[in-house]
Amino acid sequence: MKNETLLLTESTLNFRKEHPEMIQLWEKQIVKDTCNPDLHFCLYALEDYIKLRAQLIACEYLYEFAINAHIIHADWQSIYVQNGHTDAEAVEFANQEILQIYASINQNPLSEKDKVVLEILDRESNQ
């Protein structure tokens, strides 16, 4: 997967470099399932994008991707608030931006490894 597909933008890379302790905290929260609502949204919204989820699991990058999405989500919220929207509106608009990103990446072709993971995920969801 390419850097853009992994959401490794300049913004996410800079944030990761400047705030490693925050990234570690978020990783722990994901593992313990105690994430804040925005990180929770970024992680669990992936369940609706099975191809993307298969790709991320295949490359062992699911949690890191969700954290990158969370960073981008916060950036979008900030932009919407700066443009005069309420906090609640900013969250909803940021949610929509993230879903559009997920949908776009979900369209990427699958590698052979991704296809195997997708088949496993399909079987799990049908049980």
Side-chain angles (χ1 to χ4, degrees):
M1 295 179 83
K2 296 183 270 183
N3 281 354
E4 302 82 33
T5 305
L6 298 175
L7 303 182
L8 288 170
T9 64
E10 186 176 338
S11 171
T12 59
L13 290 171
N14 287 339
F15 187 93
R16 285 177 161 282
K17 187 175 13 170
E18 294 170 11
H19 304 284
E21 68 289 341
M22 184 66 69
I23 300 301
Q24 288 177 342
L25 174 66
W26 290 339
E27 288 169 345
K28 288 176 186 173
Q29 289 175 347
I30 287 173
V31 171
K32 293 179 180 180
D33 199 23
T34 59
C35 333
N36 69 51
D38 294 339
L39 179 54
H40 186 270
F41 172 82
C42 291
L43 177 63
Y44 288 96
L46 287 167
E47 292 179 2
D48 292 335
Y49 300 91
I50 189 123
K51 282 178 54 180
L52 172 57
R53 194 162 173 258
Q55 290 174 315
L56 294 169
I57 290 170
C59 71
E60 299 178 6
Y61 204 76
L62 182 67
Y63 292 167
E64 296 301 319
F65 182 90
I67 289 170
N68 293 346
H70 180 53
I71 295 166
I72 292 169
H73 190 277
D75 290 344
W76 278 111
Q77 282 186 53
S78 177
I79 290 167
Y80 283 117
V81 167
Q82 289 172 9
N83 286 331
H85 294 280
T86 66
D87 288 340
E89 290 172 333
V91 168
E92 285 305 312
F93 290 144
N95 287 353
Q96 292 306 311
E97 296 290 349
I98 291 299
L99 294 177
Q100 288 177 10
I101 290 169
Y102 287 5
S104 175
I105 296 172
N106 195 59
Q107 298 302 316
N108 290 343
L110 296 172
S111 71
E112 289 307 309
K113 185 177 180 182
D114 298 340
K115 289 176 186 175
V116 170
V117 174
L118 180 61
E119 186 177 314
I120 292 167
L121 292 173
D122 278 340
R123 270 192 250 139
E124 287 177 358
S125 67
N126 290 330
Q127 289 181 355

